[in-house]
Amino acid sequence: LGCAAAVFAASGCGDEPTGGGAASPSPSVRTVEEGVLAVACDVPSPPFAVEGPDGITGFQADLVREVARRLGLEPRLTDVPAFRIPLDVADGTYDGGVVATPTTPELEQEVDVSEAYFRLTLALVTASEERPDVSTLEDLTLGDVVAVEDGTTAEAFAERSLRPGGVDVRAFPDVEAAYAAVETGLADAAVDQELSATDRLAGRARLGIVDAFSTGESFGIAIRPGHPALLDAVNAALDAMIADGTYEEIYRR
């Protein structure tokens, strides 16, 4: 949490935003539907996007709604599978898209991408009573087993940074199985996104975060290519949210 808060120093969004007032839509900002900012969102991806009684909410959803408000547009979030979002944004089905994964060079070839609004931080999770000697990544040694969720950034990081040193990286079908492996002694530690880990560890008394580290990766809003005015407007809204404190309030909530 500290990593992102240090990168983005700011505070507020809700039903009654405390940040800058809503703007009138600029004539140069053209959207798929006039007066609407249509954004594809991968649900569920807690804490970034979850389905609630009042629709999609979460960090990314709240951020998008505040951006739309500042652009004088009505936000419209639609649940779309993560793999479809770049395609649907590129072909103009949506004005933008957000997923719970970092921006990649491949994504930037398909769509335009806003300024970074989140820096990815991973967490090292252990059962401290069983492995009190592990408090940082550097404490993992030859033969130690690290559990990760298959196909995630955490797995890619562990393969890149830990396996060359002799650490056995084992991928599990979901992160709950990875945590269970640490609890039962099948793994010495797990690596997960810090925000997700903080939430998921709430009911696991034996596990805790002992180290957090940045991967250097960041998240951005995918924007329909060929619409520089929309991209500039979204970036300006993000900058203003950071400057006036709205970003930090959304982030902390």
Side-chain angles (χ1 to χ4, degrees):
L1 292 176
C3 175
V7 174
F8 305 106
S11 144
C13 164
D15 294 333
E16 297 294 334
T18 58
S24 298
S26 168
S28 61
V29 175
R30 300 179 60 186
T31 54
V32 174
E33 181 179 341
E34 185 176 355
V36 173
L37 186 67
V39 177
C41 192
D42 179 32
V43 182
S45 302
F48 298 100
V50 294
E51 188 69 47
D54 299 320
I56 300 173
T57 187
F59 173 62
Q60 288 175 328
D62 290 353
L63 200 75
V64 164
R65 287 193 175 93
E66 179 64 6
V67 167
R69 189 186 73 83
R70 289 173 184 247
L71 299 186
L73 299 170
E74 175 193 344
R76 181 177 298 163
L77 276 63
T78 303
D79 180 14
V80 178
F83 76 92
R84 285 282 323 171
I85 290 178
L87 300 173
D88 288 350
V89 172
D91 70 15
T93 302
Y94 300 99
D95 299 300
V98 286
V99 294
T101 54
T103 300
T104 63
E106 292 76 18
L107 178 65
E108 292 178 310
Q109 290 178 357
E110 295 183 67
V111 298
D112 292 333
V113 181
S114 76
E115 295 176 358
Y117 63 81
F118 180 73
R119 308 290 182 187
L120 184 64
T121 307
L122 296 180
L124 181 66
V125 177
T126 68
S128 57
E129 290 186 4
E130 283 74 17
R131 291 302 305 266
D133 57 316
V134 177
S135 58
T136 69
L137 284 174
E138 289 71 27
D139 293 330
L140 295 168
T141 60
L142 179 68
D144 282 339
V145 177
V146 170
V148 293
E149 182 179 3
D150 187 28
T152 62
T153 299
E155 180 187 21
F157 174 85
E159 289 286 354
R160 181 174 68 247
S161 303
L162 299 178
R163 191 177 290 281
V167 175
D168 183 5
V169 178
R170 295 186 189 174
F172 291 81
D174 57 66
V175 74
E176 296 298 331
Y179 286 161
V182 180
E183 288 181 309
T184 58
L186 292 176
D188 300 284
V191 175
D192 188 16
Q193 288 191 26
E194 185 184 18
L195 276 179
S196 303
T198 302
D199 180 58
R200 290 166 176 151
L201 291 176
R204 297 180 181 274
R206 295 180 57 238
L207 303 184
I209 296 173
V210 294
D211 193 13
F213 40 91
S214 173
T215 67
E217 297 167 294
S218 61
F219 291 32
I221 301 173
I223 301 294
R224 232 179 358 141
H227 292 76
L230 177 59
L231 178 63
D232 290 345
V234 169
N235 284 335
L238 289 171
D239 287 343
M241 290 162 62
I242 292 166
D244 68 23
T246 304
Y247 175 93
E248 186 177 351
E249 185 176 330
I250 296 173
Y251 178 86
R252 291 185 181 279
R253 181 170 69 248

